[in-house]
Amino acid sequence: MKTSAGFPKIALSVALFACSSILLGQDLGVVGPVYPIAEQDMLVTIEQHLKALEESGELARIEEDAKARYRAYVERPKGVHLPRAKKDRTYYVDPSLTVPYDIRDHEGRIIHPAGTTVNPLDYITLSKQLLFFDGDDPIQAEWARSVIDSDPLRVKPILTNGPIMALIKEWKLRLYFDQRGKLTERFRIQRLPAIVSQDGKQLRVMEHNLRTQE
């Protein structure tokens, strides 16, 4: 019986044999049967599939369905449903955030290392009031329009939900949309309508009770 000490020699011999066969161009024969590649070019397959869809009319249906879904999204984006305020409430939010990576200036110098807490209000001013309301609630919409008309240059209307394109056409005003409730979450808005404005280095959030207007 051969011992394990012989295995390194056997492995080395096999490796040298393989290398010498390649270097000498030796024909080692056919290991198994060889067949031509039968797989079609991927682009050809896709083109044939699209042609079949077009001939059957399915492609036109898919395109119309995509257009309809896009129109529906534009006219009514994904928003958030919040209850109407039952009382007037004012609270303050610190907009400071911790940067997850180095912030650099235009010359590549680090101005805020990763992990630094930064208050955006140290560098910018919120010149307008942010008015959040639900466009599906006619009471809120009517109130929001009155607030906008009272000072149109200082109010930025933001829908949290509802038919934004229909209101834009009806009001003939520029409206904004808080998609998926990112801003209401950031400002901790729990009830509507609400107005966000700057107060020093903080944001003041005022939720308004509209029960007296019903």
Side-chain angles (χ1 to χ4, degrees), residues 43-78:
L43 292 178
V44 174
T45 302
I46 294 175
E47 183 178 354
Q48 291 176 346
H49 183 62
L50 288 175
K51 185 177 181 180
L53 289 176
E54 183 177 12
E55 292 176 349
S56 66
E58 182 68 11
L59 184 59
R61 189 196 65 78
I62 293 174
E63 291 177 348
E64 285 302 317
D65 182 62
K67 290 178 182 178
R69 282 187 281 111
Y70 177 75
R71 284 194 298 268
Y73 176 79
V74 170
E75 293 173 359
R76 183 182 285 270
K78 179 68 174 180

Side-chain angles (χ1 to χ4, degrees), residues 15-50:
L16 291 175
F17 175 77
C19 291
S20 62
S21 298
I22 295 173
L23 292 175
L24 296 176
Q26 181 178 349
D27 185 1
L28 299 180
V30 178
V31 176
V34 178
Y35 302 98
I37 298 176
E39 183 180 354
Q40 283 186 301
D41 184 274
M42 183 62 69
L43 292 178
V44 174
T45 302
I46 294 175
E47 183 178 354
Q48 291 176 346
H49 183 62
L50 288 175

Side-chain angles (χ1 to χ4, degrees), residues 10-138:
I10 296 173
L12 179 60
S13 300
V14 172
L16 291 175
F17 175 77
C19 291
S20 62
S21 298
I22 295 173
L23 292 175
L24 296 176
Q26 181 178 349
D27 185 1
L28 299 180
V30 178
V31 176
V34 178
Y35 302 98
I37 298 176
E39 183 180 354
Q40 283 186 301
D41 184 274
M42 183 62 69
L43 292 178
V44 174
T45 302
I46 294 175
E47 183 178 354
Q48 291 176 346
H49 183 62
L50 288 175
K51 185 177 181 180
L53 289 176
E54 183 177 12
E55 292 176 349
S56 66
E58 182 68 11
L59 184 59
R61 189 196 65 78
I62 293 174
E63 291 177 348
E64 285 302 317
D65 182 62
K67 290 178 182 178
R69 282 187 281 111
Y70 177 75
R71 284 194 298 268
Y73 176 79
V74 170
E75 293 173 359
R76 183 182 285 270
K78 179 68 174 180
V80 61
H81 294 274
L82 294 175
R84 198 191 298 175
K86 296 181 179 180
K87 62 180 181 179
D88 293 338
R89 182 169 79 106
T90 300
Y91 59 94
Y92 295 85
V93 174
D94 182 357
S96 298
L97 51 87
T98 301
V99 295
Y101 47 80
D102 293 341
I103 303 297
R104 302 175 182 269
D105 62 14
H106 65 285
E107 295 181 351
R109 295 174 298 191
I110 297 177
I111 56 178
H112 294 301
T116 302
T117 299
V118 180
N119 187 340
L121 296 180
D122 288 334
Y123 307 95
I124 61 173
T125 299
L126 186 62
S127 59
K128 294 187 177 183
Q129 296 180 336
L130 309 181
L131 169 57
F132 292 84
F133 69 101
D134 189 329
D136 276 338
D137 184 343

Side-chain angles (χ1 to χ4, degrees), residues 130-158:
L130 309 181
L131 169 57
F132 292 84
F133 69 101
D134 189 329
D136 276 338
D137 184 343
I139 300 297
Q140 289 190 46
E142 181 181 355
W143 180 83
R145 181 59 194 265
S146 66
V147 174
I148 297 169
D149 291 342
S150 66
D151 198 351
L153 297 180
R154 291 195 58 213
V155 177
K156 178 176 287 189
I158 304 174

